Amino acid sequence: MSRLLLLNGPNLGILGHREPEVYGKATLADIEAAVAQEVKGNGWDVVSVQRESEGELIQAIQSSYDTVGAIVNPGALMIAGWSLRDALANYPRPWIEVHLSNVWAREQFRHESVIAPLASGIVVGLGAYGYELAARALLNLAKD
């Protein structure tokens, strides 16, 4: 069975409680279940990793080179996560960057992602549904 990496960065473990007016009411467990449902027809399992530290996220990427692709929500590490960027540059499969909120409709400091130029695609501002769209995109990218 193939595995899909679902990688979530700092503060995303408290989804559903963290500023629901910005990030929605879905929990990370809800998102994990929705992604798993989206890809199960392809025989994919989801390996979900959420960590508060950049180093632990890097280790998760480096130990997941055998996955078919990844959905990555780096959280605020999108702004200055240079080590995370380097790890993703070496990740051998397609991956999609996801953000629950529309980062470009928010504070100026959120308007640039250091990892986005490496991503196969980006989904922003669609809440938890953005993860499902990213999973659909990876299903198509994995065929190529």
mmCIF file with all atom_site columns, all heavy atoms in Angstrom, residues 105-126:
data_model
loop_
_atom_site.group_PDB
_atom_site.id
_atom_site.type_symbol
_atom_site.label_atom_id
_atom_site.label_alt_id
_atom_site.label_comp_id
_atom_site.label_asym_id
_atom_site.label_entity_id
_atom_site.label_seq_id
_atom_site.pdbx_PDB_ins_code
_atom_site.Cartn_x
_atom_site.Cartn_y
_atom_site.Cartn_z
_atom_site.occupancy
_atom_site.B_iso_or_equiv
_atom_site.pdbx_formal_charge
_atom_site.auth_seq_id
_atom_site.auth_comp_id
_atom_site.auth_asym_id
_atom_site.auth_atom_id
_atom_site.pdbx_PDB_model_num
ATOM 1   N N   . ALA A 1 105 ? -4.679  37.804 2.400  1.00 0.00 ? 105 ALA A N   1
ATOM 2   C CA  . ALA A 1 105 ? -5.707  38.716 2.902  1.00 0.00 ? 105 ALA A CA  1
ATOM 3   C C   . ALA A 1 105 ? -5.435  39.086 4.361  1.00 0.00 ? 105 ALA A C   1
ATOM 4   O O   . ALA A 1 105 ? -6.229  39.772 4.980  1.00 0.00 ? 105 ALA A O   1
ATOM 5   C CB  . ALA A 1 105 ? -7.086  38.075 2.782  1.00 0.00 ? 105 ALA A CB  1
ATOM 6   N N   . ARG A 1 106 ? -4.295  38.638 4.855  1.00 0.00 ? 106 ARG A N   1
ATOM 7   C CA  . ARG A 1 106 ? -3.950  38.870 6.265  1.00 0.00 ? 106 ARG A CA  1
ATOM 8   C C   . ARG A 1 106 ? -2.758  39.833 6.375  1.00 0.00 ? 106 ARG A C   1
ATOM 9   O O   . ARG A 1 106 ? -2.477  40.571 5.453  1.00 0.00 ? 106 ARG A O   1
ATOM 10  C CB  . ARG A 1 106 ? -3.668  37.524 6.933  1.00 0.00 ? 106 ARG A CB  1
ATOM 11  C CG  . ARG A 1 106 ? -4.926  36.628 6.895  1.00 0.00 ? 106 ARG A CG  1
ATOM 12  C CD  . ARG A 1 106 ? -4.737  35.331 7.587  1.00 0.00 ? 106 ARG A CD  1
ATOM 13  N NE  . ARG A 1 106 ? -4.471  35.555 9.009  1.00 0.00 ? 106 ARG A NE  1
ATOM 14  C CZ  . ARG A 1 106 ? -3.947  34.636 9.799  1.00 0.00 ? 106 ARG A CZ  1
ATOM 15  N NH1 . ARG A 1 106 ? -3.622  33.457 9.332  1.00 0.00 ? 106 ARG A NH1 1
ATOM 16  N NH2 . ARG A 1 106 ? -3.743  34.893 11.070 1.00 0.00 ? 106 ARG A NH2 1
ATOM 17  N N   . GLU A 1 107 ? -2.070  39.775 7.484  1.00 0.00 ? 107 GLU A N   1
ATOM 18  C CA  . GLU A 1 107 ? -0.961  40.687 7.735  1.00 0.00 ? 107 GLU A CA  1
ATOM 19  C C   . GLU A 1 107 ? 0.118   40.566 6.655  1.00 0.00 ? 107 GLU A C   1
ATOM 20  O O   . GLU A 1 107 ? 0.356   39.490 6.123  1.00 0.00 ? 107 GLU A O   1
ATOM 21  C CB  . GLU A 1 107 ? -0.313  40.390 9.111  1.00 0.00 ? 107 GLU A CB  1
ATOM 22  C CG  . GLU A 1 107 ? -1.264  40.416 10.271 1.00 0.00 ? 107 GLU A CG  1
ATOM 23  C CD  . GLU A 1 107 ? -1.900  39.066 10.586 1.00 0.00 ? 107 GLU A CD  1
ATOM 24  O OE1 . GLU A 1 107 ? -1.857  38.137 9.748  1.00 0.00 ? 107 GLU A OE1 1
ATOM 25  O OE2 . GLU A 1 107 ? -2.447  38.934 11.691 1.00 0.00 ? 107 GLU A OE2 1
ATOM 26  N N   . GLN A 1 108 ? 0.784   41.663 6.387  1.00 0.00 ? 108 GLN A N   1
ATOM 27  C CA  . GLN A 1 108 ? 1.809   41.733 5.350  1.00 0.00 ? 108 GLN A CA  1
ATOM 28  C C   . GLN A 1 108 ? 2.898   40.675 5.533  1.00 0.00 ? 108 GLN A C   1
ATOM 29  O O   . GLN A 1 108 ? 3.379   40.099 4.568  1.00 0.00 ? 108 GLN A O   1
ATOM 30  C CB  . GLN A 1 108 ? 2.437   43.140 5.342  1.00 0.00 ? 108 GLN A CB  1
ATOM 31  C CG  . GLN A 1 108 ? 3.505   43.338 4.285  1.00 0.00 ? 108 GLN A CG  1
ATOM 32  C CD  . GLN A 1 108 ? 2.965   43.343 2.871  1.00 0.00 ? 108 GLN A CD  1
ATOM 33  O OE1 . GLN A 1 108 ? 1.865   43.822 2.630  1.00 0.00 ? 108 GLN A OE1 1
ATOM 34  N NE2 . GLN A 1 108 ? 3.734   42.818 1.937  1.00 0.00 ? 108 GLN A NE2 1
ATOM 35  N N   . PHE A 1 109 ? 3.287   40.400 6.772  1.00 0.00 ? 109 PHE A N   1
ATOM 36  C CA  . PHE A 1 109 ? 4.386   39.447 6.989  1.00 0.00 ? 109 PHE A CA  1
ATOM 37  C C   . PHE A 1 109 ? 4.037   38.034 6.538  1.00 0.00 ? 109 PHE A C   1
ATOM 38  O O   . PHE A 1 109 ? 4.925   37.205 6.359  1.00 0.00 ? 109 PHE A O   1
ATOM 39  C CB  . PHE A 1 109 ? 4.855   39.449 8.454  1.00 0.00 ? 109 PHE A CB  1
ATOM 40  C CG  . PHE A 1 109 ? 3.918   38.809 9.441  1.00 0.00 ? 109 PHE A CG  1
ATOM 41  C CD1 . PHE A 1 109 ? 3.979   37.452 9.716  1.00 0.00 ? 109 PHE A CD1 1
ATOM 42  C CD2 . PHE A 1 109 ? 2.972   39.574 10.120 1.00 0.00 ? 109 PHE A CD2 1
ATOM 43  C CE1 . PHE A 1 109 ? 3.124   36.855 10.631 1.00 0.00 ? 109 PHE A CE1 1
ATOM 44  C CE2 . PHE A 1 109 ? 2.119   39.000 11.043 1.00 0.00 ? 109 PHE A CE2 1
ATOM 45  C CZ  . PHE A 1 109 ? 2.190   37.633 11.296 1.00 0.00 ? 109 PHE A CZ  1
ATOM 46  N N   . ARG A 1 110 ? 2.775   37.753 6.304  1.00 0.00 ? 110 ARG A N   1
ATOM 47  C CA  . ARG A 1 110 ? 2.351   36.427 5.844  1.00 0.00 ? 110 ARG A CA  1
ATOM 48  C C   . ARG A 1 110 ? 2.295   36.319 4.314  1.00 0.00 ? 110 ARG A C   1
ATOM 49  O O   . ARG A 1 110 ? 1.896   35.299 3.774  1.00 0.00 ? 110 ARG A O   1
ATOM 50  C CB  . ARG A 1 110 ? 0.968   36.088 6.398  1.00 0.00 ? 110 ARG A CB  1
ATOM 51  C CG  . ARG A 1 110 ? 0.904   36.019 7.903  1.00 0.00 ? 110 ARG A CG  1
ATOM 52  C CD  . ARG A 1 110 ? -0.497  35.616 8.353  1.00 0.00 ? 110 ARG A CD  1
ATOM 53  N NE  . ARG A 1 110 ? -0.683  35.825 9.773  1.00 0.00 ? 110 ARG A NE  1
ATOM 54  C CZ  . ARG A 1 110 ? -0.359  34.936 10.721 1.00 0.00 ? 110 ARG A CZ  1
ATOM 55  N NH1 . ARG A 1 110 ? 0.161   33.780 10.376 1.00 0.00 ? 110 ARG A NH1 1
ATOM 56  N NH2 . ARG A 1 110 ? -0.558  35.213 11.989 1.00 0.00 ? 110 ARG A NH2 1
ATOM 57  N N   . HIS A 1 111 ? 2.679   37.343 3.621  1.00 0.00 ? 111 HIS A N   1
ATOM 58  C CA  . HIS A 1 111 ? 2.490   37.387 2.171  1.00 0.00 ? 111 HIS A CA  1
ATOM 59  C C   . HIS A 1 111 ? 3.577   36.708 1.364  1.00 0.00 ? 111 HIS A C   1
ATOM 60  O O   . HIS A 1 111 ? 3.513   36.730 0.132  1.00 0.00 ? 111 HIS A O   1
ATOM 61  C CB  . HIS A 1 111 ? 2.332   38.835 1.699  1.00 0.00 ? 111 HIS A CB  1
ATOM 62  C CG  . HIS A 1 111 ? 1.083   39.480 2.192  1.00 0.00 ? 111 HIS A CG  1
ATOM 63  N ND1 . HIS A 1 111 ? 0.693   40.727 1.786  1.00 0.00 ? 111 HIS A ND1 1
ATOM 64  C CD2 . HIS A 1 111 ? 0.121   39.060 3.056  1.00 0.00 ? 111 HIS A CD2 1
ATOM 65  C CE1 . HIS A 1 111 ? -0.439  41.054 2.379  1.00 0.00 ? 111 HIS A CE1 1
ATOM 66  N NE2 . HIS A 1 111 ? -0.806  40.051 3.164  1.00 0.00 ? 111 HIS A NE2 1
ATOM 67  N N   . GLU A 1 112 ? 4.561   36.145 2.002  1.00 0.00 ? 112 GLU A N   1
ATOM 68  C CA  . GLU A 1 112 ? 5.600   35.445 1.249  1.00 0.00 ? 112 GLU A CA  1
ATOM 69  C C   . GLU A 1 112 ? 5.941   34.123 1.921  1.00 0.00 ? 112 GLU A C   1
ATOM 70  O O   . GLU A 1 112 ? 6.127   34.055 3.123  1.00 0.00 ? 112 GLU A O   1
ATOM 71  C CB  . GLU A 1 112 ? 6.865   36.294 1.154  1.00 0.00 ? 112 GLU A CB  1
ATOM 72  C CG  . GLU A 1 112 ? 7.890   35.665 0.241  1.00 0.00 ? 112 GLU A CG  1
ATOM 73  C CD  . GLU A 1 112 ? 9.064   36.569 -0.025 1.00 0.00 ? 112 GLU A CD  1
ATOM 74  O OE1 . GLU A 1 112 ? 8.961   37.787 0.154  1.00 0.00 ? 112 GLU A OE1 1
ATOM 75  O OE2 . GLU A 1 112 ? 10.108  36.023 -0.417 1.00 0.00 ? 112 GLU A OE2 1
ATOM 76  N N   . SER A 1 113 ? 6.011   33.100 1.118  1.00 0.00 ? 113 SER A N   1
ATOM 77  C CA  . SER A 1 113 ? 6.386   31.770 1.592  1.00 0.00 ? 113 SER A CA  1
ATOM 78  C C   . SER A 1 113 ? 7.741   31.410 1.003  1.00 0.00 ? 113 SER A C   1
ATOM 79  O O   . SER A 1 113 ? 7.906   31.429 -0.219 1.00 0.00 ? 113 SER A O   1
ATOM 80  C CB  . SER A 1 113 ? 5.344   30.739 1.162  1.00 0.00 ? 113 SER A CB  1
ATOM 81  O OG  . SER A 1 113 ? 5.815   29.428 1.417  1.00 0.00 ? 113 SER A OG  1
ATOM 82  N N   . VAL A 1 114 ? 8.675   31.051 1.869  1.00 0.00 ? 114 VAL A N   1
ATOM 83  C CA  . VAL A 1 114 ? 9.991   30.652 1.368  1.00 0.00 ? 114 VAL A CA  1
ATOM 84  C C   . VAL A 1 114 ? 9.963   29.256 0.760  1.00 0.00 ? 114 VAL A C   1
ATOM 85  O O   . VAL A 1 114 ? 10.858  28.889 0.006  1.00 0.00 ? 114 VAL A O   1
ATOM 86  C CB  . VAL A 1 114 ? 11.089  30.734 2.461  1.00 0.00 ? 114 VAL A CB  1
ATOM 87  C CG1 . VAL A 1 114 ? 11.225  32.163 2.968  1.00 0.00 ? 114 VAL A CG1 1
ATOM 88  C CG2 . VAL A 1 114 ? 10.845  29.759 3.601  1.00 0.00 ? 114 VAL A CG2 1
ATOM 89  N N   . ILE A 1 115 ? 8.925   28.483 1.058  1.00 0.00 ? 115 ILE A N   1
ATOM 90  C CA  . ILE A 1 115 ? 8.852   27.130 0.511  1.00 0.00 ? 115 ILE A CA  1
ATOM 91  C C   . ILE A 1 115 ? 7.976   27.039 -0.742 1.00 0.00 ? 115 ILE A C   1
ATOM 92  O O   . ILE A 1 115 ? 8.119   26.114 -1.534 1.00 0.00 ? 115 ILE A O   1
ATOM 93  C CB  . ILE A 1 115 ? 8.406   26.097 1.559  1.00 0.00 ? 115 ILE A CB  1
ATOM 94  C CG1 . ILE A 1 115 ? 6.946   26.261 1.950  1.00 0.00 ? 115 ILE A CG1 1
ATOM 95  C CG2 . ILE A 1 115 ? 9.298   26.136 2.787  1.00 0.00 ? 115 ILE A CG2 1
ATOM 96  C CD1 . ILE A 1 115 ? 6.409   25.124 2.770  1.00 0.00 ? 115 ILE A CD1 1
ATOM 97  N N   . ALA A 1 116 ? 7.093   27.991 -0.956 1.00 0.00 ? 116 ALA A N   1
ATOM 98  C CA  . ALA A 1 116 ? 6.145   27.935 -2.073 1.00 0.00 ? 116 ALA A CA  1
ATOM 99  C C   . ALA A 1 116 ? 6.803   27.742 -3.440 1.00 0.00 ? 116 ALA A C   1
ATOM 100 O O   . ALA A 1 116 ? 6.266   26.995 -4.264 1.00 0.00 ? 116 ALA A O   1
ATOM 101 C CB  . ALA A 1 116 ? 5.257   29.174 -2.076 1.00 0.00 ? 116 ALA A CB  1
ATOM 102 N N   . PRO A 1 117 ? 7.940   28.369 -3.714 1.00 0.00 ? 117 PRO A N   1
ATOM 103 C CA  . PRO A 1 117 ? 8.536   28.176 -5.043 1.00 0.00 ? 117 PRO A CA  1
ATOM 104 C C   . PRO A 1 117 ? 8.924   26.727 -5.347 1.00 0.00 ? 117 PRO A C   1
ATOM 105 O O   . PRO A 1 117 ? 9.094   26.366 -6.503 1.00 0.00 ? 117 PRO A O   1
ATOM 106 C CB  . PRO A 1 117 ? 9.778   29.075 -5.009 1.00 0.00 ? 117 PRO A CB  1
ATOM 107 C CG  . PRO A 1 117 ? 9.455   30.128 -4.014 1.00 0.00 ? 117 PRO A CG  1
ATOM 108 C CD  . PRO A 1 117 ? 8.643   29.415 -2.966 1.00 0.00 ? 117 PRO A CD  1
ATOM 109 N N   . LEU A 1 118 ? 9.022   25.892 -4.328 1.00 0.00 ? 118 LEU A N   1
ATOM 110 C CA  . LEU A 1 118 ? 9.390   24.488 -4.520 1.00 0.00 ? 118 LEU A CA  1
ATOM 111 C C   . LEU A 1 118 ? 8.174   23.573 -4.667 1.00 0.00 ? 118 LEU A C   1
ATOM 112 O O   . LEU A 1 118 ? 8.303   22.444 -5.132 1.00 0.00 ? 118 LEU A O   1
ATOM 113 C CB  . LEU A 1 118 ? 10.221  23.996 -3.329 1.00 0.00 ? 118 LEU A CB  1
ATOM 114 C CG  . LEU A 1 118 ? 11.487  24.775 -3.009 1.00 0.00 ? 118 LEU A CG  1
ATOM 115 C CD1 . LEU A 1 118 ? 12.129  24.221 -1.740 1.00 0.00 ? 118 LEU A CD1 1
ATOM 116 C CD2 . LEU A 1 118 ? 12.457  24.726 -4.176 1.00 0.00 ? 118 LEU A CD2 1
ATOM 117 N N   . ALA A 1 119 ? 7.013   24.046 -4.250 1.00 0.00 ? 119 ALA A N   1
ATOM 118 C CA  . ALA A 1 119 ? 5.812   23.214 -4.209 1.00 0.00 ? 119 ALA A CA  1
ATOM 119 C C   . ALA A 1 119 ? 5.301   22.899 -5.610 1.00 0.00 ? 119 ALA A C   1
ATOM 120 O O   . ALA A 1 119 ? 5.466   23.680 -6.541 1.00 0.00 ? 119 ALA A O   1
ATOM 121 C CB  . ALA A 1 119 ? 4.709   23.921 -3.414 1.00 0.00 ? 119 ALA A CB  1
ATOM 122 N N   . SER A 1 120 ? 4.656   21.743 -5.733 1.00 0.00 ? 120 SER A N   1
ATOM 123 C CA  . SER A 1 120 ? 3.979   21.392 -6.984 1.00 0.00 ? 120 SER A CA  1
ATOM 124 C C   . SER A 1 120 ? 2.723   22.230 -7.174 1.00 0.00 ? 120 SER A C   1
ATOM 125 O O   . SER A 1 120 ? 2.254   22.407 -8.297 1.00 0.00 ? 120 SER A O   1
ATOM 126 C CB  . SER A 1 120 ? 3.602   19.912 -6.969 1.00 0.00 ? 120 SER A CB  1
ATOM 127 O OG  . SER A 1 120 ? 4.745   19.113 -6.818 1.00 0.00 ? 120 SER A OG  1
ATOM 128 N N   . GLY A 1 121 ? 2.184   22.744 -6.083 1.00 0.00 ? 121 GLY A N   1
ATOM 129 C CA  . GLY A 1 121 ? 1.000   23.588 -6.109 1.00 0.00 ? 121 GLY A CA  1
ATOM 130 C C   . GLY A 1 121 ? 0.736   24.141 -4.727 1.00 0.00 ? 121 GLY A C   1
ATOM 131 O O   . GLY A 1 121 ? 1.344   23.701 -3.751 1.00 0.00 ? 121 GLY A O   1
ATOM 132 N N   . ILE A 1 122 ? -0.178  25.099 -4.658 1.00 0.00 ? 122 ILE A N   1
ATOM 133 C CA  . ILE A 1 122 ? -0.506  25.756 -3.392 1.00 0.00 ? 122 ILE A CA  1
ATOM 134 C C   . ILE A 1 122 ? -2.020  25.911 -3.309 1.00 0.00 ? 122 ILE A C   1
ATOM 135 O O   . ILE A 1 122 ? -2.662  26.303 -4.286 1.00 0.00 ? 122 ILE A O   1
ATOM 136 C CB  . ILE A 1 122 ? 0.144   27.147 -3.291 1.00 0.00 ? 122 ILE A CB  1
ATOM 137 C CG1 . ILE A 1 122 ? 1.653   27.044 -3.475 1.00 0.00 ? 122 ILE A CG1 1
ATOM 138 C CG2 . ILE A 1 122 ? -0.172  27.813 -1.952 1.00 0.00 ? 122 ILE A CG2 1
ATOM 139 C CD1 . ILE A 1 122 ? 2.331   28.379 -3.684 1.00 0.00 ? 122 ILE A CD1 1
ATOM 140 N N   . VAL A 1 123 ? -2.573  25.611 -2.128 1.00 0.00 ? 123 VAL A N   1
ATOM 141 C CA  . VAL A 1 123 ? -4.000  25.820 -1.871 1.00 0.00 ? 123 VAL A CA  1
ATOM 142 C C   . VAL A 1 123 ? -4.097  26.703 -0.634 1.00 0.00 ? 123 VAL A C   1
ATOM 143 O O   . VAL A 1 123 ? -3.576  26.346 0.426  1.00 0.00 ? 123 VAL A O   1
ATOM 144 C CB  . VAL A 1 123 ? -4.737  24.483 -1.616 1.00 0.00 ? 123 VAL A CB  1
ATOM 145 C CG1 . VAL A 1 123 ? -6.213  24.741 -1.348 1.00 0.00 ? 123 VAL A CG1 1
ATOM 146 C CG2 . VAL A 1 123 ? -4.548  23.523 -2.779 1.00 0.00 ? 123 VAL A CG2 1
ATOM 147 N N   . VAL A 1 124 ? -4.747  27.857 -0.766 1.00 0.00 ? 124 VAL A N   1
ATOM 148 C CA  . VAL A 1 124 ? -4.897  28.775 0.364  1.00 0.00 ? 124 VAL A CA  1
ATOM 149 C C   . VAL A 1 124 ? -6.325  29.267 0.478  1.00 0.00 ? 124 VAL A C   1
ATOM 150 O O   . VAL A 1 124 ? -7.029  29.408 -0.524 1.00 0.00 ? 124 VAL A O   1
ATOM 151 C CB  . VAL A 1 124 ? -3.956  30.001 0.263  1.00 0.00 ? 124 VAL A CB  1
ATOM 152 C CG1 . VAL A 1 124 ? -2.505  29.613 0.356  1.00 0.00 ? 124 VAL A CG1 1
ATOM 153 C CG2 . VAL A 1 124 ? -4.210  30.797 -0.979 1.00 0.00 ? 124 VAL A CG2 1
ATOM 154 N N   . GLY A 1 125 ? -6.743  29.505 1.722  1.00 0.00 ? 125 GLY A N   1
ATOM 155 C CA  . GLY A 1 125 ? -7.989  30.203 1.966  1.00 0.00 ? 125 GLY A CA  1
ATOM 156 C C   . GLY A 1 125 ? -9.255  29.394 1.867  1.00 0.00 ? 125 GLY A C   1
ATOM 157 O O   . GLY A 1 125 ? -10.343 29.952 1.955  1.00 0.00 ? 125 GLY A O   1
ATOM 158 N N   . LEU A 1 126 ? -9.156  28.097 1.706  1.00 0.00 ? 126 LEU A N   1
ATOM 159 C CA  . LEU A 1 126 ? -10.358 27.272 1.561  1.00 0.00 ? 126 LEU A CA  1
ATOM 160 C C   . LEU A 1 126 ? -10.639 26.430 2.795  1.00 0.00 ? 126 LEU A C   1
ATOM 161 O O   . LEU A 1 126 ? -11.423 25.486 2.745  1.00 0.00 ? 126 LEU A O   1
ATOM 162 C CB  . LEU A 1 126 ? -10.234 26.386 0.318  1.00 0.00 ? 126 LEU A CB  1
ATOM 163 C CG  . LEU A 1 126 ? -10.086 27.162 -0.990 1.00 0.00 ? 126 LEU A CG  1
ATOM 164 C CD1 . LEU A 1 126 ? -9.874  26.213 -2.151 1.00 0.00 ? 126 LEU A CD1 1
ATOM 165 C CD2 . LEU A 1 126 ? -11.293 28.054 -1.228 1.00 0.00 ? 126 LEU A CD2 1
#
